[in-house]
Amino acid sequence: MNKVTALGRPVVMNHFPNRLVAILTLAILAGTLVIKLIGGVAVLNALSTAAVTAFAVFLTWAIGREIDPAHDWSAFVALPFALLTAVMLGGPNFIALLFVLLFSRTLSGCTGMRPTISDSILLIILGAILFCDGIFMALIILALVFFSDAFLKPPNQRQIFFGVASLFVFGLMFLFVSGIPFYLEMGNLYNISALLLLLAAVVVLFMLTGREQIPDDMNHAALQKTRVRLAQSLPALFVILELILKGDPALLLLYPTVLAYYGAAFYHLGRLLKFGGAERKT
């Protein structure tokens, strides 16, 4: 039997895409380690670099699965680009990516289980850590997640308390920790292009996905379309707000999320070109 936590997803190892991403992750880890060792890098540094690279690629896949849960293969499209980016630019902020992954699961209800009190507290702790790291919008996004979870079907009304708690923690940290900058950093053409492409990817996902009836991981019920739409939207909103506030650093910290959206959008545009409107009518 697969052991499941409220925010966890059972890894069904006889499911081929899951086995494939596990193999790819291990191959990237081993390949990067060997290349670094051959290049004369110290063992610990080589192992650290290999782990960062492999984990960045894996999280790109994991976030891609959350924003497009009905299609196993769309999450793979971005992986070569994630690997290249990790090699060139180094690792992203893994706490931020874990935060995105967990709040997406809270929204989508993909696990088939309600988040526990400890799950919600963990998310608030992660949001506070990210604020201290300069990722200021995490707690605001988290409040939206909690309030959405409280009122969408099936409602989890105790999340209202955690939504209020997220805003309270945000207010405290705004007052007593280094504050949010009151200026924008969006003058860079690369940032503006990344933002516009991210918006375009969200539009593509909204137009070409979301019609499928797919069960949660426990096979209790079909995922609610409104929840899936929010799980597609709020990670992108999180990235966009951070891009507006920080510019280049936000891309370096969150690039697996951005690439996951691009990959899923390209996958569905490719399907549209290959099959035309036939699949949309089925």
Side-chain angles (χ1 to χ4, degrees), residues 16-79:
F16 179 69
N18 288 357
R19 285 187 291 155
L20 179 60
V21 77
I23 292 169
L24 287 174
T25 302
L26 291 174
I28 291 168
L29 176 66
T32 305
L33 178 61
V34 169
I35 290 171
K36 292 296 180 180
L37 290 175
I38 291 175
V41 178
V43 174
L44 288 180
N45 288 338
L47 185 59
S48 174
T49 301
V52 164
T53 303
F55 201 36
V57 173
F58 175 80
L59 283 176
T60 302
W61 172 83
I63 292 171
R65 290 292 296 122
E66 297 303 319
I67 64 176
D68 187 20
H71 300 90
D72 288 334
W73 298 107
S74 66
F76 286 87
V77 176
L79 300 194

Side-chain angles (χ1 to χ4, degrees), residues 106-107 139-168 227 230 234:
T106 296
L107 278 172
L139 287 166
I140 298 296
I141 292 294
L142 186 57
L144 292 175
V145 170
F146 285 142
F147 288 133
S148 298
D149 193 35
F151 294 106
L152 291 174
K153 295 180 180 180
N156 187 2
Q157 293 189 348
R158 73 182 175 203
Q159 297 286 54
I160 296 173
F161 169 79
F162 290 108
V164 173
S166 298
L167 294 177
F168 179 73
R227 285 182 170 274
L230 278 173
L234 286 188

Side-chain angles (χ1 to χ4, degrees), residues 146-206:
F146 285 142
F147 288 133
S148 298
D149 193 35
F151 294 106
L152 291 174
K153 295 180 180 180
N156 187 2
Q157 293 189 348
R158 73 182 175 203
Q159 297 286 54
I160 296 173
F161 169 79
F162 290 108
V164 173
S166 298
L167 294 177
F168 179 73
V169 172
F170 175 84
L172 284 180
M173 301 197 76
F174 182 79
L175 290 175
F176 297 109
V177 184
S178 53
I180 298 173
F182 291 100
Y183 52 86
L184 305 181
E185 291 285 353
M186 282 303 299
N188 188 306
L189 179 61
Y190 295 108
N191 296 331
I192 295 173
S193 299
L195 187 153
L196 293 176
L197 287 171
L198 182 56
L199 287 173
V202 173
V203 171
V204 168
L205 289 176
F206 266 58

Side-chain angles (χ1 to χ4, degrees), residues 244-271:
I244 291 172
L245 285 174
K246 286 196 289 294
D248 285 341
L251 278 179
L252 296 176
L253 296 173
L254 297 167
Y255 67 79
T257 303
V258 176
L259 292 175
Y261 275 95
Y262 293 170
F266 278 123
Y267 174 84
H268 287 287
L269 287 173
R271 282 164 57 91

